Every structure is written in structure tokens, then in C-alpha cells.
Amino acid sequence: MNDYIDHKWYFTAAEMRCLSIPKKADAGLRSTMISHGFRSSKKDFTFGPWRVTTAKNHIMKSKDIERLTEEMNLPSLPEMLFGDNILRIQHSNGFGIEFNAIDALKRVNKSEHTVKVACAQQWQESRAVSEQSQDVVRPYDWTFTTDYRGTLIGEEMQMKVTETTERINLEKLRAREQIVFFDEILLFEDELHDHGVSMISVKIRVMPTSFFLLLRFFLRVDGVMIRIHDTRLYHEAGKNYMLREFCKRESNITELKSVPASLYTDPNEIAQHLTLKLRECEKLELPEQEAVNEDLQ
């Protein structure tokens, strides 16, 4: 693959101005969102000791939804749940990290609302009727907000998570490096009974000397608020760790009066206008100094 990819989805607009990276179009790589009508597919890409696996499948069947709803102790699940979609980054020694919808939903608050608005009760009641539930709908986070950051994998060994002050190096990401692999996966999406949207997706790009991933949860409750949870994951060849940055941004619509409403539906554009609520930086340390002699090519 000899093309360069649009870096926009990795950063807020403010970060993009800092990077000042020109675009080189490739329609196959720069889709704005995955179509819901795609065929099931699986990709494997190996680079150095790492393998990236992505799987795209159809929306879960109703019988599987019913079983999962009971298992997760949630009154309802997102309308479009891609339970078999996955993005996995795995070392040849078995450890790594993966991203999937089921684990993301495990981080949803099961006992109370995180967004209390007039439409919440109406939404829950209508959802219960549509799913033919005979139970009284109890409070839970009807927006499916999640602070999911990925799932560590490995039977014999796993990466160790530690806090750090080190940040992802934007200077190195400024270079127009060749993209040898790119993919994006939608995990779930819900239109909140026509009151907005709640969705989470993950994207990855692999370069000759590094890989970079963005997991994004985006919530818009029309007329009320906008929330974005971003997890960025970066690994550079020769380093014995990955860097993971998690950010929470959120603003009420009343705080966004100076922002054109047309931006509300574009996570890349609206992110720079939202208030930063939390930033946490972590190292995911590779076991036994695995990356000292690593070569991604």
C-alpha cells in the first residue's frame, strides 16, 4: 500500500492545525463511517512480532441479543450491536490487546442514568414495548456511555498497565509515513429513539516503524449535550511498551451556542469545542522486554 491516509480522525481539529498534514485521497481508506450493509469479512496483517486481526460481521441476531441482555443484566442493548466485530493486536508470544462490543458494554452503568433528561423515561418505555418486555424498566444508563479502553489478552502473560507522564509524540506522527495497513470497525450504534446517537468504533493504522489506534465513543443527546471518550494507543518499534491516552470531553448544548449546529454531528469537528473533563496517560509494558530488538517491517 503506497498511499498516505487522512490523519484527521486521530486528533481534534486543534491538534490537526498543529500537525498541518496535507491529504492524499484514497476512497478505499478514508471512509467516514462503515456502512451497515457490508459483507462479513476477516483480515489478518502481520508486521514484525505483531499480528492485527479485524473482523466485521452482521448485527447480532435477536435470540443472541435476548441471551446477552440477560447475561449482562441490562434492560436493553444498543439497536445495532455488532457482537462479533473485533480488532485485536497480538504479539507472537500471545499477549496483546483487543477491542470488542461486549466488553465495552460491560462498562455501562447498570443502576442509574448518567444523562437525566425529559425524554429518558419516554425512550425507555418505548424500548420496553418494542422489545415486548413485561418487566418494569429500571434505571440504567440509557445512553450506553462507556469508558472502555480495550481488553488485555494473553493466557501465560499480559502487558502491565502503569501510570505515566509520557505523552504520544505528535512530532513523529507529523511525518507522512507510508500506511501499510488500515481498518476501522463499528462496535455498536443506537439512535436513542430518535433523540440523538450513541456509538463506539475503533480504527488502526500501521506504519513501517509504529502503529496507532483510536477507540472513540461518541454521544449526542439532541438539545441536551455531547460527549466524547477517546482512547489513543501508540507503539513504536524498539520500545518495550505502548502508550495509551484516555480523554473524556463533554459539554451541554447551552455551552456550545457559539458553535455552528452543523458541527454537532461530526465528532472530529466538535471535539475541539468540548470541555476536557479527564485525561489519563498509561504505559502498557510488554512482558520480559519483548520489544528491545523489535522490527515492525
Side-chain angles (χ1 to χ4, degrees), residues 75-99:
S76 178
L77 294 178
E79 294 169 323
M80 291 174 283
L81 176 57
F82 298 88
D84 294 322
N85 282 11
I86 194 169
L87 191 156
R88 180 185 297 118
I89 306 171
Q90 191 166 20
H91 193 273
S92 57
N93 285 342
F95 62 85
I97 187 169
E98 72 174 36
F99 302 84

Side-chain angles (χ1 to χ4, degrees), residues 47-280:
F47 54 108
W50 298 98
R51 170 175 288 187
V52 173
T53 299
T54 61
K56 301 177 185 179
N57 295 280
H58 297 287
I59 297 173
M60 289 185 71
K61 297 179 180 179
S62 57
K63 64 178 182 179
D64 296 323
I65 290 285
E66 292 174 3
R67 173 187 53 79
L68 187 60
T69 299
E70 184 175 349
E71 290 178 0
M72 301 194 72
N73 194 28
L74 280 170
S76 178
L77 294 178
E79 294 169 323
M80 291 174 283
L81 176 57
F82 298 88
D84 294 322
N85 282 11
I86 194 169
L87 191 156
R88 180 185 297 118
I89 306 171
Q90 191 166 20
H91 193 273
S92 57
N93 285 342
F95 62 85
I97 187 169
E98 72 174 36
F99 302 84
N100 65 80
I102 308 305
D103 286 342
L105 286 171
K106 289 178 180 178
R107 302 291 302 174
V108 172
N109 193 315
K110 298 177 175 64
S111 59
E112 62 181 359
H113 305 300
T114 61
V115 179
K116 294 180 173 65
V117 295
C119 64
Q121 185 63 31
Q122 174 191 354
W123 180 88
Q124 290 186 73
E125 290 174 351
S126 63
R127 177 63 66 88
V129 170
S130 66
E131 295 176 356
Q132 298 179 344
S133 172
Q134 301 301 315
D135 300 325
V136 175
V137 180
R138 58 178 171 78
Y140 73 107
D141 187 355
W142 63 289
T143 69
F144 304 109
T145 293
T146 176
D147 61 357
Y148 180 58
R149 309 180 190 192
T151 305
L152 296 181
I153 58 174
E155 295 183 0
E156 297 183 0
M157 61 182 74
Q158 290 188 354
M159 292 183 288
K160 179 183 177 182
V161 181
T162 60
E163 294 183 2
T164 183
T165 58
E166 185 175 352
R167 299 283 302 277
I168 294 174
N169 191 333
L170 297 184
E171 290 298 320
K172 290 186 178 180
L173 292 173
R174 180 178 296 177
R176 293 180 59 213
E177 199 170 7
Q178 180 186 8
I179 307 301
V180 295
F181 179 81
F182 170 83
D183 209 350
E184 60 176 326
I185 307 292
L186 179 62
L187 300 182
F188 71 70
E189 182 174 352
D190 194 288
E191 295 182 350
L192 307 180
H193 199 61
D194 295 328
H195 290 298
V197 66
S198 171
M199 63 182 295
I200 186 168
S201 61
V202 58
K203 307 182 183 185
I204 188 171
R205 63 176 172 132
V206 180
M207 292 78 71
T209 62
S210 61
F211 63 79
F212 195 14
L213 174 148
L214 172 67
L215 173 74
R216 168 166 285 171
F217 170 79
F218 175 65
L219 171 68
R220 187 189 76 252
V221 182
D222 291 337
V224 180
M225 53 87 68
I226 298 175
R227 174 184 292 159
I228 291 178
H229 290 176
D230 278 344
T231 298
R232 290 177 171 86
L233 185 70
Y234 177 68
H235 176 63
E236 185 178 346
K239 298 290 182 68
N240 64 342
Y241 59 87
M242 301 180 187
L243 288 176
R244 181 168 66 180
E245 294 186 8
F246 175 74
C247 294
K248 290 185 177 182
R249 291 182 170 86
E250 179 179 325
S251 292
N252 294 329
I253 295 301
T254 55
E255 301 171 310
L256 300 171
K257 291 182 178 180
S258 61
V259 180
S262 59
L263 301 186
Y264 293 178
T265 59
D266 187 337
N268 293 320
E269 293 295 337
I270 196 61
Q272 64 173 316
H273 300 286
L274 304 182
T275 301
L276 180 64
K277 300 289 187 178
L278 175 70
R279 184 193 301 274
E280 293 183 346

